[in-house]
Amino acid sequence: MIAKQKIHGFVAAFDYNHQKMELKNPKDRAELLDHNFFKYDRESILKEINFLKQLRPNLTRDTYHVSLNFAPTDQLSKNQLTQIGKDYLAGMGFDDNAYAIWQHFDAEHLHIHVLASRIKYDGSVVSDSNNYQRSEEICRKLEQKYGIETVKSSKEALDRAPSKDELEMIQRTGELSDRMLMQERVKDALSKADTVSDFIALCKQNGVHLIFNQSVSTGRVSGITYISDDGFIAKGQKLGNQYKWANLQNNLNYEQSRDRQTIGETNRDTRERFKELLDQGNRGTENRNGQTSRNSKQHHEQSAGFTSNNESSYQNRNESGFNTHYERTNNYKETEQELEEAVSNQLSTGTSAVISSVSSLLGSISGNEIDDDALRRRKPKRKR
């Protein structure tokens, strides 16, 4: 099971899932599996979310939205999917939060979407510190609990998996993305190389040039960037764990003092060869038509996890503001493990605000409009 976190606001997340329930093709329509709102109605739900926001008006990221994706071999009932969604939320600390769970049918694999407010009914907030790491740990536990196929964690996976855009592009064009081609070329070089010098030469033969993040004073290397002949750029972490410098140096015969000069010369050669490309990427320049240059655009796509071959998908995602678990906006700092966030929230409670807000909300919804089942499921914990 793979969890992919989406970074956007509650309204956009809710509308995305709800609109999937209204698709023209019945086979593609999403299905609501569970929720604990007072009533499953957009206006009522937004009122409920708004009063929660009043408890934490300065909280910018008040939403947690994730898709849970299962292997093709996994056969799960709707009840099992629902319980997995609830178990996942509980494991992430959402034990007293407004939530909804949908099953989507717009992909070949089984998957559900889980949406929750980070703001609890007592005014406290679910921490988003180390979200990605905690999420993977919970997925491994749920795989064991429900007997579903075990998926390697991001730390164990050698290659970063293709994105949905890349898979769709392969189906449409029969061609691999720039990133996937680079993975194969670097992997081939790595399989034949014994030393760092061998690796540099073999990569160059395969049309891939290297820039090492090397300290001028000590010669110490802390990272690596790959550039293809046609100008596609990717850092090691964008390709997968085996392409990161930390792992490369463990698989190659590397000595800092011996290889310092070779690495320095490689950096100078690559920077000279791609000087215009690197300058454009750094400056974000525009061409004569006022359009961002292709090379500069590749820098942006690479940093966001997109492939330059799939320009339509790139544009569609920009327009929708929808980002996957492996794709993050520049508002969030990427770590070595990609989407792991390291933001801690020191929280306090706001009981009196909750009581007045709940009263206001219930006053705006007539008794016969409230979903009785949802109300029974909702048992807010209010501090006295």
Side-chain angles (χ1 to χ4, degrees):
M1 183 174 75
I2 298 176
K4 296 184 178 182
Q5 186 177 350
K6 322 294 183 180
I7 308 297
H8 45 199
F10 189 93
V11 175
F14 175 81
D15 286 344
Y16 170 80
N17 286 283
H18 183 71
Q19 288 167 9
K20 291 282 186 178
M21 299 173 62
E22 300 175 343
L23 295 175
K24 292 183 179 180
N25 188 344
K27 294 182 179 180
D28 293 336
R29 288 176 192 160
E31 181 178 340
L32 179 67
L33 296 180
D34 191 41
H35 74 93
N36 68 343
F37 293 101
F38 290 104
K39 177 188 176 186
Y40 188 82
D41 170 81
R42 188 178 188 277
E43 183 178 354
S44 299
I45 288 174
L46 295 189
K47 286 181 180 179
E48 193 167 345
I49 292 301
N50 284 335
F51 93 73
L52 287 173
K53 286 183 177 181
Q54 293 174 18
L55 305 179
R56 291 286 175 174
N58 297 324
L59 182 67
T60 56
R61 287 172 299 171
D62 57 0
T63 302
Y64 188 75
H65 181 203
V66 65
S67 66
L68 303 181
N69 302 267
F70 303 90
T73 55
D74 292 333
Q75 301 295 322
L76 298 165
S77 67
K78 295 188 186 301
N79 288 336
Q80 288 175 313
L81 290 173
T82 302
Q83 193 57 51
I84 288 173
K86 294 170 74 172
D87 286 352
Y88 177 86
L89 281 173
M92 291 296 289
F94 294 88
D95 55 1
D96 182 31
N97 301 72
Y99 73 87
I101 303 171
W102 296 266
Q103 181 178 0
H104 287 206
F105 300 93
D106 55 353
E108 294 183 0
H109 64 278
L110 195 65
H111 66 293
I112 61 176
H113 280 244
V114 179
L115 174 63
S117 167
R118 287 183 57 215
I119 306 172
K120 292 177 177 285
Y121 281 85
D122 64 0
S124 62
V125 181
V126 177
S127 173
D128 63 357
S129 178
N130 298 321
N131 262 355
Y132 185 59
Q133 182 178 353
R134 292 190 294 122
S135 177
E136 286 205 335
E137 291 174 355
I138 293 168
C139 286
R140 304 293 83 79
K141 292 178 181 178
L142 292 177
E143 287 166 350
Q144 294 181 356
K145 178 178 178 179
Y146 289 93
I148 56 182
E149 186 172 331
T150 300
V151 178
K152 287 184 178 180
S153 69
S154 64
K155 288 183 180 180
E156 299 171 311
L158 296 178
D159 282 8
R160 189 172 175 187
S163 66
K164 181 182 177 182
D165 285 344
E166 289 174 309
L167 293 174
E168 290 176 348
M169 189 191 74
I170 294 171
Q171 292 178 338
R172 187 176 67 254
T173 67
E175 298 179 355
L176 297 179
S177 69
D178 288 341
R179 188 178 67 87
M180 297 171 73
L181 284 171
M182 184 175 281
Q183 283 178 324
E184 294 305 313
R185 291 166 179 167
V186 176
K187 191 188 304 181
D188 175 72
L190 185 58
S191 69
K192 300 174 182 177
D194 294 321
T195 66
V196 170
S197 296
D198 292 341
F199 180 63
I200 293 170
L202 289 165
C203 280
K204 190 172 183 179
Q205 289 177 19
N206 290 346
V208 178
H209 307 265
L210 310 178
I211 294 181
F212 297 84
N213 185 10
Q214 185 184 43
S215 168
V216 175
S217 58
T218 66
R220 179 180 177 272
V221 176
S222 58
I224 188 169
T225 298
Y226 303 87
I227 307 179
S228 67
D229 279 340
D230 59 0
F232 177 76
I233 301 178
K235 291 184 179 180
Q237 66 185 25
K238 289 296 178 183
L239 302 182
N241 283 305
Q242 68 176 320
Y243 309 95
K244 297 177 183 179
W245 174 247
N247 292 325
L248 285 175
Q249 64 180 326
N250 293 329
N251 295 315
L252 296 170
N253 182 356
Y254 166 71
E255 293 182 11
Q256 181 173 311
S257 58
R258 182 196 67 198
D259 296 319
R260 176 176 181 174
Q261 182 177 349
T262 300
I263 289 174
E265 292 173 353
T266 300
N267 284 346
R268 286 192 291 275
D269 290 345
T270 303
R271 289 194 174 101
E272 180 61 29
R273 180 186 179 100
F274 297 99
K275 184 178 186 302
E276 183 179 352
L277 166 66
L278 296 173
D279 288 345
Q280 286 176 342
N282 292 331
R283 293 196 305 265
T285 56
E286 295 183 347
N287 62 22
R288 295 179 182 177
N289 296 322
Q291 301 291 328
T292 302
S293 68
R294 178 180 184 273
N295 292 331
S296 178
K297 182 167 181 271
Q298 283 179 332
H299 273 280
H300 177 71
E301 290 175 340
Q302 173 264 322
S303 67
F306 297 112
T307 58
S308 61
N309 283 348
N310 197 4
E311 293 186 357
S312 62
S313 295
Y314 172 83
Q315 292 168 351
N316 289 338
R317 284 178 178 270
N318 270 311
E319 291 168 2
S320 65
F322 198 75
N323 301 298
T324 69
H325 166 78
Y326 292 111
E327 297 160 349
R328 167 171 302 220
T329 61
N330 290 332
N331 292 330
Y332 301 94
K333 179 181 179 182
E334 284 186 313
T335 67
E336 280 276 314
Q337 298 172 17
E338 296 306 311
L339 297 173
E340 178 177 345
E341 295 177 331
V343 180
S344 221
N345 292 288
Q346 300 301 323
L347 310 168
S348 60
T349 61
T351 306
S352 59
V354 174
I355 295 174
S356 61
S357 297
V358 169
S359 300
S360 174
L361 173 68
L362 291 178
S364 66
I365 305 175
S366 63
N368 59 358
E369 288 182 330
I370 296 177
D371 184 331
D372 292 336
D373 290 334
L375 191 56
R376 284 194 293 271
R377 290 194 294 269
R378 159 76 43 80
K379 294 181 180 180
K381 300 174 183 177
R382 301 175 185 167
K383 294 184 179 180
R384 298 182 181 277

